[in-house]
Amino acid sequence: MRVAVFALGGTISVSGRARGERLTGAEITSAVPGLDTLGVTLDVRDVHAVPSGSLTFAHVLDVVRDAARAVAEGADGVVVTQGTDTLEETAFIADLVWAHDAPFVLTGAMRQPSMAGADGPANVLAAVRVAVSREARGLGALVAFNDEVHAARWVRKSHSTSTATFVSPNAGPVGHVVEGRVRVLAPPPRRGILPDAFDAERLDAVRVALHTVTLDDDGAQLVGLDGTHQGLVVAGFGVGHVPASLVPVLGALAERIPVVLTSRTGGGAVLRHTYHQPGSETDLQERGLVNGGLLDPYKARVLLRLLLTAGADRDKVASAFAEHG
Ligand code: ASP
């Protein structure tokens, strides 16, 4: 079996030798006990050595393209090591465009390699096992962490330091690694794959803002947003509500750019037809906001930016969120 490994930096690569120095992908993988007994040949590539907050959509899409080439040349699966801070977003970017059955598995670490109980080696071992697992084929992008397997479309980073930080509030883990065996218990359904039409220049031209609605929010931040941004995701209260005072500004924006409504709660869906007061989900939908469904604000922003970069109009945006949300 063969796995293509792409090293992108993150805590898993912090060397502990000199400040700012990073481990290479070969150093990360060679420090994993038991990896050499799996009978898996690793093709390790150092792509970036950065904190994950410095990754871009273009970086991720380049990795996906290189990974697709590796699979076409015979790799059975793909592992990406990166920082955990943005992993819930990068994983979803990959998931939306990954058109192969071969598992695309992302992982990282919460503890630096030199710390007691460093989790990087166990996570890499689990990720490689998932990457070559028959059970994980056809499931798109997955996150292997803490011996759990999460679907890219549901996974969230839920804690700033815990090694159990990755959770899927709406679905739970789709599988587990038990005594080295990958058990997929709840395979996530695959949604439509977006055709790859994303060069860096087009991505740069599409800005999607995310506005989290807060108590007594007067919406001043949103005024004129359509002059600088091509789309907006609103993280509303609860089931998708905003203060009544925000309705005019959101309605006006929705006439000019796609505005997607999500929930700031971290779990559950935006409702469609339960409340009717000004600022409710029905009111905002009538004013043209697109219902983000079960997608959290960060994932909704990923989907909207890719759709707009691909040239989607309002109807295409609405139908894509109906499918993915
Ligand atoms: N700040 C780090 C990063 O995302 C955190 C981590 O790797 O866990 O690059």
Side-chain angles (χ1 to χ4, degrees):
M1 304 288 269
R2 283 174 51 197
V3 169
V5 180
F6 297 83
L8 272 60
T11 293
I12 196 168
S13 70
V14 172
S15 89
R17 291 190 293 252
R19 204 168 167 166
E21 193 184 288
R22 300 261 174 194
L23 302 179
T24 63
E27 287 173 311
I28 292 170
T29 50
S30 65
V32 179
L35 189 54
D36 55 350
T37 66
L38 295 186
V40 175
T41 304
L42 301 180
D43 170 14
V44 184
R45 305 162 196 210
D46 291 294
V47 186
H48 300 290
V50 295
S52 70
S54 298
L55 293 171
T56 65
F57 278 55
H59 289 154
V60 179
L61 290 161
D62 282 346
V63 169
V64 172
R65 279 177 208 130
D66 288 344
R69 263 192 292 279
V71 167
E73 287 162 9
D76 298 284
V78 176
V79 168
V80 173
T81 62
Q82 66 158 89
T84 57
D85 288 346
T86 61
L87 199 145
E88 62 197 284
E89 287 158 274
T90 60
F92 193 46
I93 295 172
D95 192 53
L96 286 169
V97 297
W98 184 244
H100 302 271
D101 282 340
F104 188 106
V105 189
L106 300 97
T107 195
M110 293 300 287
R111 297 186 184 138
Q112 298 178 8
S114 59
M115 289 178 172
D119 53 335
N123 288 338
V124 170
L125 186 61
V128 172
R129 289 189 196 278
V130 175
V132 295
S133 158
R134 206 164 32 83
E135 288 198 39
R137 291 186 70 78
L139 304 184
L142 299 166
V143 173
F145 218 94
N146 202 32
D147 277 345
E148 291 182 342
V149 185
H150 291 266
R153 69 188 303 260
W154 302 129
V155 74
R156 302 290 311 265
K157 182 173 180 177
S158 69
H159 195 283
S160 61
T161 56
S162 169
T163 54
T165 186
F166 284 102
V167 296
S168 297
N170 290 324
V174 299
H176 300 266
V177 182
V178 185
E179 294 181 315
R181 182 175 162 205
V182 177
R183 308 291 310 269
V184 175
L185 305 177
R190 278 304 263 151
R191 318 275 164 169
I193 314 285
L194 303 184
D196 184 352
F198 311 109
D199 61 65
E201 213 174 302
R202 290 174 70 175
L203 279 161
D204 282 347
V206 175
R207 288 205 191 93
V208 174
L210 169 58
H211 179 77
T212 302
V213 176
T214 49
L215 185 69
D216 212 9
D217 190 342
D218 67 1
Q221 264 184 334
L222 296 168
V223 175
L225 190 92
D226 53 307
T228 52
H229 290 72
Q230 286 66 46
L232 168 65
V233 173
V234 176
F237 300 132
V239 297
H241 292 177
V242 306
S245 55
L246 237 62
V247 171
V249 65
L250 288 178
L253 284 173
E255 281 173 18
R256 298 192 206 103
I257 58 174
V259 181
V260 175
L261 182 62
T262 62
S263 170
R264 69 174 201 173
T265 58
V270 166
L271 295 185
R272 292 175 192 278
H273 50 71
T274 299
Y275 293 88
H276 301 276
Q277 75 275 10
S280 64
E281 78 281 5
T282 48
D283 180 35
L284 295 170
Q285 287 169 155
E286 276 160 21
R287 289 169 192 273
L289 274 72
V290 174
N291 190 306
L294 281 159
L295 288 181
D296 67 59
Y298 309 115
K299 308 243 192 243
R301 183 178 170 277
V302 164
L303 178 57
L304 184 55
R305 186 161 183 224
L306 290 183
L307 290 169
L308 294 177
T309 303
D313 59 14
R314 176 183 298 270
D315 288 347
K316 283 221 172 90
V317 167
S319 61
F321 274 90
E323 179 185 3
H324 290 274

